[in-house]
Amino acid sequence: MMEPLRLTALPAKEVPMRQARFEPYVDNGGTVLAIAGSDYCVIAGDTRMSDGGYGIQTRQYTKIFQLTNKCVIATSGMQADTLALRKRLETVLSRYQKEHGKPMSTPAISQYLSNTLYQKRFFPYYTFNLVCGVDEDGVGCIWTYDAVGSHERVKMSSQGSGNQLVQPLLDNQVGKFNQRIVDGPRELSSEQAVSLAKDAITSAGERDIYTGDFADIVVINSTGVHWEKFNLKLD
Amino acid sequence: MSSKHFRFPVFGQVDYFGQPQHSAASYTPSEEKQRTTDPIVTGSSVIAIKYNGGVVMGCDTLCSYGSLARFNNIQRVKQFGPKTIVGYSGEHSDFQSITQLLDDLVIDDQCIDDKSQLSTEEIWNYLARVLYNRRNKVDPLWNNLVVMGFDKKTDKSFLGKVDLYGTCFKDDYIATGYGQHIALPLLRKAYSPDMTLEQAQKLITDCLRVLFYRDARSSKRVQLSYANANGMEISAPIELETYNWDIGEAAVKSFDQV
């Protein structure tokens, strides 16, 4: 018997609605950390930018950005969002300077950043920030954030892909937490902090594949913002 | 579509396009916003390096339709204004749309007639903003763009990259697409900032040759672009010197005789 004729041109099933599948976020990795003292703030950040996987896009992308003579912002996470956030802060700060005849204070910047991040609560900037510098009294200060603007003032902090490696080290060495016997002075000198920051970022580079290449070391004190480049491993 | 489309029934003919009568509302193309969910006609790698006195960029002329080598002679580099060249990989049509944007920008700038021209870095920054803006709409322009140029006044060369997220950076050597996996490690090993034009040319051609051997979406018809003190130039397509495939000819001929 002959097969009954089937009309193959008619769709057998209804076509399911195709969803737009584009993932708008990418994690470019990297580690930033900061240590604050009574009259200084030390910030370190590596300069590797990964492509979201195993690849390195560039070895020369600096994650630390100077906002005023007393304040820098260190950001890891998605680079495109970081740039957008920086540009936004830069515009507002230059306007503030023109309107008030003085740069915005570091604590004010920290609050402004939180508000800015929270404004994008439902399509967040994928950025993990540290606002670091000295406040109006010249005391070193750090604010640490999540992507949607929750923030806290701390003595030391780290953000980014090496965060889990660096934070306990800072807690132990700067905060003197979790030690049986605490001896020596409780606060690090600026030089000790720089040395610790270098060790911390180097160690993060040894274990974290997204951290490496070079490190920016920034020291902020009453004399201004001082930059230094530091080599990490290129592997 | 809200209006009912009336069709005259024709005896004995199957109405292939008639609307299903008693089915729940489903896919209505007109109501869904069209987005680039995946690229269709795509170009593969672009590679570029800075040398002592300028920049060289290289890419092939192929635009593929999936795995089909569909368009064999498409120029994947374009000059915008007097001192900028942009090369792309990714969706061809999206780049055509970017081309319109940039041409408008350059023409508007020229019309102001103030002897000021957009610098390469400005064009690169503009592109980064456009692509970032589109990713914010979750409607990306599916391209990796390599922007290069040479400013005669300051004697400085420029090389930068922008991707579909709006990620942008400057570097001494840049590769996109498969080139990121294959050419970039080669460039890292062979690169030195004081290369001559000839050395840079050779490095780019060698990389393109390796890409031709390993990247199935590439071709051996390539174009080199230059930005240096002599100005900008996009060369005519060249056939890469590759392995001598004639060695198989005898075997093929013998098939003929079977």
Side-chain angles (χ1 to χ4, degrees), chain A residues 138-203:
Chain A
V139 179
C141 50
I142 298 164
W143 279 266
T144 182
Y145 294 79
D146 72 358
V148 292
S150 319
H151 64 296
E152 186 186 17
R153 184 172 171 168
V154 288
K155 280 264 131 200
M156 64 280 170
S157 188
S158 75
Q159 291 282 13
S161 55
N163 173 36
Q164 288 150 339
L165 302 169
V166 173
Q167 191 67 52
L169 179 70
L170 296 181
D171 287 344
N172 188 268
Q173 291 298 303
V174 184
K176 311 283 182 194
F177 297 163
N178 319 311
Q179 292 184 11
R180 292 296 155 114
I181 307 154
V182 177
D183 55 353
R186 285 203 72 94
E187 196 185 286
L188 300 175
S189 71
S190 181
E191 291 72 27
Q192 283 174 312
V194 168
S195 169
L196 176 61
K198 286 179 180 174
D199 287 353
I201 199 103
T202 310
S203 302

Side-chain angles (χ1 to χ4, degrees), chain A residues 7 9 14-15 18 20-25 49 56-59 78-81 83-84 87 123 125, chain B residues 14 16 23 26-27 32 35 37-38 125 129 132 135-136 140 161 164-169 171 184 188:
Chain A
L7 294 172
E14 283 193 15
V15 184
R18 247 198 47 228
R21 272 276 143 252
F22 165 67
E23 177 55 59
Y25 288 116
M49 184 169 87
I56 297 169
Q57 302 224 58
T58 178
R59 301 185 193 275
M78 179 174 168
Q79 192 251 10
D81 274 346
L83 289 182
K87 276 176 199 271
F123 184 36
Y125 284 125
Chain B
V14 180
Y16 290 104
S23 63
S26 64
Y27 180 48
E32 195 198 7
R35 293 190 165 97
T37 56
D38 38 30
N125 250 312
R129 289 308 95 200
Y132 181 69
R135 94 98 215 190
N136 280 345
K161 185 188 160 184
L164 70 165
Y165 298 103
T167 313
C168 57
F169 60 87
D171 214 334
L184 204 57
R188 281 185 186 136

Side-chain angles (χ1 to χ4, degrees), chain B:
Chain B
M1 288 243 206
S2 56
S3 62
K4 286 260 164 58
H5 198 78
F6 190 77
R7 289 170 175 282
F8 294 98
V10 180
F11 181 73
Q13 189 175 321
V14 180
D15 183 10
Y16 290 104
F17 305 104
Q19 303 294 313
Q21 293 299 306
H22 303 289
S23 63
S26 64
Y27 180 48
T28 48
S30 56
E31 281 168 28
E32 195 198 7
K33 195 180 176 305
Q34 292 294 301
R35 293 190 165 97
T36 309
T37 56
D38 38 30
I40 307 294
V41 177
T42 56
S44 197
S45 321
V46 179
I47 50 183
I49 56 176
K50 275 190 190 176
Y51 67 93
N52 185 13
V55 202
V56 191
M57 184 193 285
C59 71
D60 59 34
T61 59
L62 176 66
C63 274
S64 309
Y65 180 81
S67 60
L68 172 71
R70 180 66 182 82
F71 303 104
N72 278 305
N73 192 20
I74 286 186
Q75 206 185 75
R76 294 204 288 121
V77 276
K78 211 169 177 312
Q79 184 169 346
F80 297 99
K83 43 189 172 188
T84 307
I85 287 179
V86 180
Y88 75 95
S89 54
E91 174 66 44
H92 179 54
S93 63
D94 280 348
F95 184 72
Q96 290 184 316
S97 152
I98 290 172
T99 299
Q100 291 185 347
L101 279 177
L102 278 189
D103 279 339
D104 285 353
L105 189 78
V106 169
I107 289 168
D108 283 353
D109 185 54
Q110 194 128 78
C111 288
I112 296 171
D113 198 24
D114 58 355
K115 307 258 185 331
S116 151
Q117 288 162 331
L118 286 164
S119 71
T120 309
E121 185 158 0
E122 281 165 336
I123 288 180
W124 168 75
N125 250 312
Y126 176 81
L127 284 172
R129 289 308 95 200
V130 171
L131 268 69
Y132 181 69
N133 193 249
R134 289 289 295 266
R135 94 98 215 190
N136 280 345
K137 294 175 179 161
V138 204
D139 181 18
L141 290 165
W142 215 288
N143 289 117
N144 274 302
L145 304 170
V146 181
V147 185
M148 72 168 196
F150 189 84
D151 191 357
K152 286 181 198 170
K153 277 189 194 127
T154 56
D155 220 35
K156 276 214 169 114
S157 43
F158 179 92
L159 179 57
K161 185 188 160 184
V162 185
D163 75 5
L164 70 165
Y165 298 103
T167 313
C168 57
F169 60 87
K170 299 180 253 182
D171 214 334
D172 292 340
Y173 43 88
I174 283 173
T176 69
Y178 236 90
Q180 269 183 84
H181 301 101
I182 291 174
L184 204 57
L186 300 173
L187 291 175
R188 281 185 186 136
K189 199 156 195 182
Y191 180 78
S192 109
D194 43 287
M195 288 173 122
T196 63
L197 174 59
E198 288 70 33
Q199 286 170 320
Q201 250 173 321
K202 182 170 185 311
L203 180 53
I204 289 281
T205 341
D206 285 345
C207 285
L208 288 171
R209 188 177 301 111
V210 175
L211 280 167
F212 169 65
Y213 287 148
R214 283 294 171 183
D215 175 9
R217 274 74 175 125
S218 70
S219 82
K220 61 174 173 176
R221 253 173 88 81
V222 300
Q223 279 181 299
L224 294 185
S225 312
Y226 309 96
N228 51 39
N230 300 327
M232 317 293 292
E233 192 201 329
I234 299 173
S235 81
I238 322 160
E239 291 272 320
L240 279 179
E241 294 261 325
T242 58
Y243 180 77
N244 181 17
W245 304 100
D246 296 347
I247 198 97
E249 212 172 4
V252 177
K253 268 182 187 160
S254 65
F255 267 119
D256 219 35
Q257 291 152 4
V258 171

